[in-house]
Structure formats: C-alpha cells, structure tokens
Amino acid sequence: MVTDAAVRIEGLVKSYGDLEVLRGVDLAVSRGSITALLGANGAGKTTLVRILSTLGSADAGVASVAGADVDKEPGKVREAISLTGQFAAVDEILTGRENLVLVARLRHVDSPRAVAEQLLARFSLSDAADRRVGTYSGGMRRRLDIAMSLIGEPPVVFLDEPTTGLDPQARQEVWEAVRTLAAGGTTVLLTTQYLEEAEQLAHQIAILHEGRIIVDGTLAEVKALMPPATVEYIEKQPSLEEIFLAVTGSSMATPEELS
Ligand SMILES: Nc1ncnc2c1ncn2[C@@H]1O[C@H](COP(=O)(O)OP(=O)(O)OP(=O)(O)O)[C@@H](O)[C@H]1O
Ligand SMILES: [Mg+2]
C-alpha cells in the first residue's frame, strides 16, 4: 500500500439503477506519478473520475484526494485538483491567450497575463496564442485544455481520455504535455482506452474491468502478467512497384515518361 498517496480509493461502489458500474474499486496513486486507468468503453472510467473530482457521489466506499475526503471535504478536494474532461472545454471564439487569461481571472490568480504567457510557452502554443481556438487542430485544443487546467497550480490533475479521437501526431503532442506536467511534480491520473498510451506515459497502470481494478502495477509488473511475446511471420504481399523493380531492375516509369 502506498502511504504517501495523492489519491486513495477503497471499496468504491457506484450503480446507476440496476447497472453496477463500480463494484469495489481499490486504488492508490503516488504523489508526483502518472497513473493510467485503462478500461474499455463503458468500463466506468469517467464515473470514477467524476467521483474523485466531487462531481458525482459513490454509493459506498471511501476516496480521498490530496488528503481530503471527497465526500466529507469536497471544497478541499476541489482546491487541490483540476479536471480535464473527455470533451475539450475551450472557447472556440476566443484566442488561446484569451481563454487562459479568462480562466486565470476566474481563479483569481495573481498576474493572469503572465500566467497565460508562461503556459503558452510551456505547451508550445506561443505562436498560435492570438489565433481563435476555432482554427486550432485537435492536438492544440487538447494542449490548451490541459494548460487551462493547470492555472492555479493544482497538485492533482485528472485527465479523462486526453487523446481519444486525436491523430498520432496530436497524440504525441499531448503526451509531451503530460510528461511536462509530471516533471513539474504534479500528480496525474489519466484515463485511456489505449494500452500504448499507458505504456508511453504511466509509472503505474491500473485496469478497470467489470467494476474492479483487475490489474495494478508498474509497466514491468503488468507486462510480467502477460504471456511471453511470440514471433509471428506474416507473408507480405509485394507492391506493384516492388514487383516492377524486381523484374526490370529499374523503378516504375510515370505515364509522362512513357509517352
Ligand atoms: N448518469 C448516468 N446514468 C445512467 N447510466 C450512466 C450514467 N453515466 C454513466 N452511465 C453508464 O455507466 C457505465 C460507465 O460509464 P462511464 O462513462 O463511466 O464509462 P467510461 O469508462 O468512461 O467509458 P468511455 O470510454 O466510453 O468514456 C456505462 O454503461 C454508462 O452508460
Ligand atoms: Mg469516459
């Protein structure tokens, strides 16, 4: 058991009517680590994150974040966290900079403009700072979304499926942003459907399946549970170009070259 846990969950139970979504979830997340909560569609990832961020309540069990009980001390929990939801919460009409300044003002931080400037630089958005967010790519939006969640420097950050729906390039950008976050000492709990994402980012991997955490450990520990890798030989169909090269010894001519 992790003693210095930023997030601690014990026996958490949650049902929607007859649907038992969480059936006794136990999990501890170490301070300053990145933990990936892996689960299929409908596994209950968002449900769990909502309970941890005081947006939903559990039927039974206890959970604490940054030492505060989510049920008994929701105000304290809210002060310690930020939540980036499954769908980006950025305002499309405002520019990247305006979005950040707006949130900084709402959270009453000192010198909102300076904070916005630092975050734009940290998430490689300085060049796009004065463009409307409506013109941003998916990866840029997500990065801005994460940057917004950091205003006020919450020690614990929840990211609900930060890269779902992004292309590989944008996914890499978000991963970089998450690594930057953790390098600064923030505890990150992210949910994902992608094993690869957990592999790339997480110090700790927890798999939520049928309402329980069925696997919990470091990447090496989780991998040790899997059957050893087998080598498969897959017959590759040669491309027309390769066949042409093989039979002629030169590359395929374009129609223009033939005429
Ligand atoms: N407010 C609600 N009322 C009724 N059922 C709900 C509610 N919220 C979630 N559910 C159901 O609970 C289950 C878990 O949903 P949840 O959104 O937590 O899953 P998830 O792991 O986040 O899935 P996804 O990967 O699709 O985001 C699903 O079957 C969902 O339909
Ligand atoms: Mg979800």
Side-chain angles (χ1 to χ4, degrees):
M1 202 66 188
V2 185
T3 48
D4 188 27
V7 178
R8 182 183 294 285
I9 305 167
E10 281 167 26
L12 217 62
V13 172
K14 174 75 179 180
S15 296
Y16 293 111
D18 292 339
L19 182 69
E20 293 181 296
V21 180
L22 306 178
R23 304 176 179 194
V25 170
D26 298 313
L27 185 67
V29 173
S30 312
R31 232 169 265 273
S33 71
I34 303 178
T35 295
L37 181 68
L38 261 170
N41 275 136
K45 301 181 297 295
T46 298
T47 300
L48 185 58
V49 166
R50 283 178 57 86
I51 293 169
L52 293 176
S53 44
T54 76
L55 295 174
S57 60
D59 302 331
V62 289
S64 65
V65 177
D69 188 291
V70 294
D71 198 35
K72 300 193 184 82
E73 306 164 287
K76 266 194 181 171
V77 172
R78 278 182 218 134
E79 275 170 25
I81 63 162
S82 83
L83 167 66
T84 299
Q86 199 163 351
F87 305 100
V90 293
D91 187 310
E92 307 229 332
I93 302 198
L94 300 181
T95 67
R97 188 193 310 277
E98 287 165 347
N99 264 286
L100 288 163
V101 170
L102 177 70
V103 174
R105 292 218 170 103
L106 290 173
R107 295 197 191 149
H108 305 293
V109 301
D110 293 335
S111 39
R113 295 215 146 258
V115 168
E117 214 56 55
Q118 282 163 13
L119 286 167
L120 287 165
R122 189 162 156 200
F123 291 95
S124 312
L125 289 167
S126 299
D127 291 347
D130 297 313
R131 263 167 53 194
R132 282 169 50 166
V133 171
T135 70
Y136 281 21
S137 69
M140 291 164 79
R141 274 170 208 237
R142 273 279 158 194
R143 265 149 51 207
L144 179 63
D145 207 9
I146 294 171
M148 279 160 64
S149 77
L150 294 187
I151 293 171
E153 302 185 348
V156 181
V157 171
F158 300 121
L159 302 173
D160 195 9
E161 300 201 20
T163 66
T164 296
L166 296 185
D167 65 34
Q169 165 71 29
R171 176 163 300 159
Q172 294 277 355
E173 292 171 6
V174 171
W175 287 348
E176 252 337 285
V178 175
R179 288 191 190 106
T180 307
L181 245 182
T186 308
T187 304
V188 181
L189 176 63
L190 64 91
T191 75
T192 182
Q193 300 179 33
Y194 308 116
L195 191 59
E196 194 203 350
E197 181 153 294
E199 220 171 339
Q200 285 285 334
L201 285 180
H203 306 111
Q204 183 189 6
I205 297 174
I207 302 177
L208 181 62
H209 183 66
E210 294 183 347
R212 289 190 182 86
I213 302 292
I214 55 161
V215 169
D216 176 16
T218 63
L219 177 62
E221 285 165 354
V222 171
K223 276 197 169 162
L225 296 172
M226 306 286 180
T230 52
V231 178
E232 269 184 58
Y233 294 96
I234 298 166
E235 206 171 306
K236 184 174 167 279
Q237 293 295 327
S239 67
L240 191 56
E241 173 91 0
E242 285 166 329
I243 294 170
F244 189 87
L245 260 171
V247 296
T248 64
S250 67
S251 75
M252 223 161 28
T254 61
E256 290 80 31
E257 286 169 325
L258 289 174
S259 59

